[in-house]
């Protein structure tokens, strides 16, 4: 079983506090290469979430039987087997998107995010907590890649959800800027990805700093209210 406090801590760490893209700065290769639009970033993130959740629960279930000396090769074999399944599913069910994502689906095997969580968390915790850790770490990656992809697509092309027809046949991209918008090529190129990622990291640090600055004031106000309360 898992307590509410454990669940809250795992969720907060994965989605915000230890966000793999904005705090740990892991998996930059797919982060910068795939997020040319929203759809690509979301679909690669979903594939990564599936692999992370299954890999974490597998390692957590087998951790007592895996010799410490060979744990890394065993972890890689487990992740590689799961990635192969996901790769074949994408090829069979979403072939057009599979061709677009290309090598980045097989490269999930070497993604530092997956191996880091397997080694740092799943190998030391029960299956339920490990599964949740994999899911929420993936969710943190998901919203980051989705936001970065949406910003790059909007600034670069003036559209949103370009390529959605590869996932939902018959669907079309949304044109948010005028049809004569010339586009901003820098946003689509790798330097644009670095600039926008830096802005997202700065925004998160600024948000955390504001929250941290408010805590002493709130604690001071609560202490003052307690001191002012009449004794019974």
């Amino acid at each position: 079983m898992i307590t509410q406090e454990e669940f809250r801590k795992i969720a907060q760490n994965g989605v915000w506090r230890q966000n793999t893209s904005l705090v740990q700065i892991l998996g930059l290769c797919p982060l910068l290469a795939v997020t040319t639009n929203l759809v690509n970033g979301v679909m690669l993130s979903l594939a990564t979430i599936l692999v992370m959740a299954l890999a974490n629960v597998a390692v957590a279930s087998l951790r007592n039987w895996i010799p410490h000396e060979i744990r890394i090769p065993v972890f890689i074999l487990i992740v590689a087997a799961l990635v192969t399944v996901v790769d074949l599913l994408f090829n069979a069910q979403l072939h057009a998107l599979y061709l677009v994502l290309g090598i980045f689906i097989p490269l999930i095997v070497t993604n530092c995010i997956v191996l880091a969580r397997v080694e740092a968390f799943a190998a030391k915790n029960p299956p339920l907590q490990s599964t949740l850790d994999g899911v929420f770490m993936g969710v943190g990656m998901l919203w980051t890649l989705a936001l970065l992809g949406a910003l790059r697509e909007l600034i670069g092309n003036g559209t949103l959800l370009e390529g959605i027809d590869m996932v939902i046949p018959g669907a079309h991209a949304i044109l948010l800027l005028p049809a004569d918008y010339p586009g901003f090529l820098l946003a689509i190129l790798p330097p644009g990805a670095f600039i926008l990622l830096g802005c997202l990291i700065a925004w998160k640090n600024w948000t955390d700093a504001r929250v941290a600055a408010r805590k002493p004031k709130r604690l001071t106000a609560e202490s003052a209210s307690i001191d002012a309360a009449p004794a019974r």
Side-chain angles (χ1 to χ4, degrees):
M1 295 296 293
I2 182 172
T3 64
Q4 185 176 359
E5 179 63 23
E6 284 180 308
F7 179 86
R8 184 182 63 83
K9 183 178 180 181
I10 291 173
Q12 288 181 346
N13 284 341
V15 175
W16 186 260
R17 290 180 182 173
Q18 296 182 15
N19 186 282
T20 55
S21 302
L22 302 181
V23 178
Q24 301 183 54
I25 319 294
L26 297 175
L28 288 185
C29 182
L31 175 69
L32 300 175
V34 174
T35 55
T36 52
N37 61 52
L38 172 61
V39 172
N40 291 352
V42 168
M43 295 306 296
L44 183 64
S45 298
L46 291 176
T48 306
I49 290 174
L50 180 60
V51 171
M52 288 182 67
L54 295 177
N56 275 17
V57 70
V59 170
S61 302
L62 300 173
R63 70 185 191 279
N64 294 327
W65 288 275
I66 300 175
H68 183 76
E69 295 79 5
I70 61 170
R71 69 191 188 285
I72 299 301
V74 173
F75 294 164
I76 293 176
L77 285 174
I78 293 173
V79 174
L82 294 171
V83 170
T84 300
V85 174
V86 172
D87 185 69
L88 293 174
L89 286 174
F90 265 70
N91 193 6
Q93 303 297 327
L94 301 168
H95 185 68
L97 182 64
Y98 173 80
L99 296 177
V100 172
L101 296 179
I103 192 62
F104 291 103
I105 297 178
L107 280 179
I108 295 175
V109 176
T110 59
N111 195 317
C112 297
I113 300 171
V114 180
L115 293 176
R117 298 318 298 174
V118 166
E119 167 69 11
F121 196 94
K124 303 172 185 176
N125 291 276
L128 179 56
Q129 286 86 337
S130 299
T131 304
L132 291 174
D133 178 78
V135 170
F136 283 111
M137 282 291 170
V139 170
M141 175 184 175
L142 171 65
W143 77 259
T144 307
L145 264 67
L147 180 58
L148 184 59
L151 290 173
R152 293 181 67 189
E153 181 182 355
L154 178 61
I155 297 172
N157 297 326
T159 62
L160 203 60
L161 296 175
E162 183 179 352
I164 189 63
D165 55 301
M166 294 184 293
V167 180
I168 305 174
H172 301 284
I174 303 172
L175 184 64
L176 296 179
L177 297 181
D180 58 350
Y181 176 66
F184 190 59
L185 183 60
L186 178 63
I188 304 299
L189 296 176
F194 271 107
I195 293 171
L196 288 174
L197 177 61
C199 292
L200 290 179
I201 294 173
W203 165 73
K204 184 188 182 302
N205 292 339
W206 174 77
T207 303
D208 288 341
R210 289 197 62 185
V211 172
R214 289 175 182 173
K215 284 184 178 180
K217 296 179 181 178
R218 185 166 63 249
L219 292 174
T220 302
E222 290 176 355
S223 300
S225 64
I226 292 174
D227 294 339
R232 295 183 180 179

